[in-house]
Amino acid sequence: MLRRRTVLSVSVSAALLAAAPLLTACGSDAHPGAAAIVDGKRITVAQLQAKVKDVRRAQSESPQGGQLISSTGQLSLATLNGMIFERVLERSADRAGVTVSRSDVQRWRTTFEKELGGPDRLKAVWLQQQSVAPDEVDATVRNQLLLDGLAKKLGADRASAEGQRRLVDNLARTSRAMGVDVNPRFGTWNDRRVILGATKDPWISHATGARQQA
């Protein structure tokens, strides 16, 4: 079990997904080809689809492939949620003076690869439980460390309701300032909760992120 940190689920969580097809349309009239606009910069449908395909490819190669795919039907929605949140988190962390180096990421990975039984095991567990593609592990670790660092900078104990509120309020202010505009086919971005549409907010939950399977 990963005891010291929860895994940031900015990409996806199987618990928040229901069946839906991979998106193929090309964006809203206001922003052709865009899945979302964050701080004036586009997240394109093509970028979103590339990330979804990476996860689907890894899932299909897994022994549990059928189950993983069927349980992550709205992968596009959850992935876009993570892509937007990542930009908001990056801005909040930068404003707070929080940085994460490559060596920080590698130390984190090394620790938990040992606990889980090696690099391949870590990748497999994250794919199964968080729908993180193997080539996205470093980025996901970095996001988690940024979130942890931001919480520490704010004096926000993530184990407490007050700490969570303080962290959410900080991210919400950043989100509003960045003017998140989501293509209506993907839903509506909630600045107050810093999340897309009806998805849950696992980034502030304390469920175990990666657990070694028997």
Side-chain angles (χ1 to χ4, degrees), residues 44-171:
T44 69
V45 173
Q47 289 170 330
L48 172 59
Q49 288 180 334
K51 284 184 175 289
V52 171
K53 288 178 181 178
D54 279 348
V55 175
R56 288 292 188 228
R57 185 180 302 111
Q59 288 176 332
S60 68
E61 295 171 355
S62 168
Q64 298 83 29
Q67 180 180 354
L68 293 177
I69 291 171
S70 66
S71 66
T72 54
Q74 285 188 347
L75 187 56
S76 294
L77 173 63
T79 301
L80 180 58
N81 178 67
M83 294 172 77
I84 297 171
F85 180 81
E86 181 176 36
R87 296 189 182 193
V88 174
L89 172 61
E90 180 87 29
R91 177 67 60 82
S92 278
D94 181 65
R95 287 179 171 176
V98 176
T99 60
V100 173
S101 67
R102 289 185 179 181
S103 60
D104 293 332
V105 171
Q106 189 55 52
R107 280 195 296 271
W108 194 101
R109 283 195 64 163
T110 299
T111 297
F112 292 105
E113 284 171 354
K114 288 179 179 177
E115 291 197 13
L116 289 172
D120 290 342
R121 183 58 184 160
L122 176 63
K123 292 175 183 178
V125 168
W126 277 27
L127 177 65
Q128 292 167 15
Q129 297 192 1
Q130 306 295 332
S131 297
V132 174
D135 61 357
E136 291 290 328
V137 169
D138 280 354
T140 305
V141 171
R142 182 174 182 275
N143 288 337
Q144 180 62 56
L145 294 177
L146 283 175
L147 189 64
D148 290 346
L150 178 61
K152 183 177 181 180
K153 195 82 170 183
L154 297 173
D157 179 4
R158 293 178 62 202
S160 71
E162 173 60 24
Q164 290 184 13
R165 184 195 61 76
R166 188 178 302 176
L167 183 58
V168 172
D169 285 350
N170 179 276
L171 291 163

